[in-house]
Amino acid sequence: MKTGIIILSLFLSTAMYAAPCGIHGNADPRSREYALNRFKNRSQAPRTVNPLITLEKLAPGSRYENTEAAAIIGYVALVKPGAAETCNCKAKDAAHKDTHIALVTDLANMNDESKYVIVEVTPRTRQRYHFPSTATLQNQILHKRVMVTGWLFYDAMHTGNAADTNPNGKKIWRATCEEIHPVSGIKVLH
């Protein structure tokens, strides 16, 4: 009898852990993140993309609506796991964190973080569109020319880290706060 209770208890705790993080994550409802997280946590692919939006237009800081989508082409300068963010309920394991991918317009900008345009695969889109793990993506697309499709998102949480919004900043690791987040498609180009 006690064995059955332990197994049931173990099953319930595993089921609770595996439950998806809500659309607002675990952000405080009064915070700016709470409103932003609903855009980060979209799982449906956009039906149409704006063909006028390119990586070259995003990199210098052009602004678009969070309701627009794009398919941009660039070179992959970096692939790494994201931080523990409220949109993912502060998950610490790679499977439940975003994958951050930095795109640049040409190979000469591979090491210039102030030229990076960030695109993100989320846990939701990883599952829905069968994206591989961050480590596998790194092996498959790093330094390759790719087309990335997905929703545009202006991540206002990073204005201090973007060259266009903080040109004299000390911790610049991106060209703009404008991202593709979440990514719904990645295609390696030749």
Side-chain angles (χ1 to χ4, degrees):
M1 194 68 127
K2 286 185 179 179
T3 305
I5 292 171
I6 292 171
I7 292 171
L8 177 60
S9 174
L10 190 61
F11 172 77
L12 287 175
S13 67
T14 302
M16 288 171 63
Y17 176 77
C21 185
I23 195 81
H24 296 287
N26 65 356
D28 183 319
R30 298 164 296 186
S31 72
R32 181 168 57 161
E33 286 178 285
Y34 187 83
L36 295 176
N37 285 351
R38 73 183 177 93
F39 293 108
K40 291 180 177 186
N41 283 327
R42 292 178 276 200
S43 60
Q44 293 293 328
R47 291 185 182 183
T48 59
V49 297
N50 182 337
L52 301 176
I53 300 171
T54 64
L55 182 61
E56 289 78 10
K57 287 184 180 175
L58 289 177
S62 294
R63 290 283 303 269
Y64 298 94
E65 296 296 322
N66 289 340
T67 55
E68 290 192 83
I72 61 174
I73 296 172
Y75 293 93
V76 178
L78 176 76
V79 179
K80 69 177 191 172
E85 299 176 83
T86 63
C87 59
N88 300 320
C89 295
K90 298 269 187 175
K92 293 185 179 14
D93 62 308
H96 295 97
K97 292 165 78 174
D98 293 347
T99 298
H100 287 215
I101 301 168
L103 298 181
V104 292
T105 56
D106 60 63
L107 294 170
N109 294 328
M110 283 287 186
N111 296 315
D112 185 351
E113 292 181 339
S114 71
K115 306 287 187 199
Y116 288 4
V117 173
I118 307 300
V119 301
E120 298 191 34
V121 173
T122 67
R124 283 176 171 75
T125 58
R126 183 178 296 114
Q127 181 178 10
R128 184 175 188 105
Y129 303 109
H130 308 289
F131 288 118
S133 69
T134 300
T136 301
L137 271 173
Q138 186 176 46
N139 288 332
Q140 291 176 344
I141 67 172
L142 187 62
H143 301 141
K144 301 231 168 102
R145 188 169 174 259
V146 298
M147 177 188 294
V148 174
T149 306
W151 292 103
L152 288 167
F153 172 67
Y154 187 81
D155 196 344
M157 301 301 290
H158 296 298
T159 56
N161 307 115
D164 70 325
T165 53
N166 189 17
N168 299 316
K170 302 273 187 237
K171 295 181 182 176
I172 302 300
W173 51 269
R174 57 193 305 149
T176 177
C177 292
E178 197 72 57
E179 305 176 348
I180 289 188
H181 186 171
V183 167
S184 56
I186 300 173
K187 179 180 180 183
V188 176
L189 304 174
H190 298 284

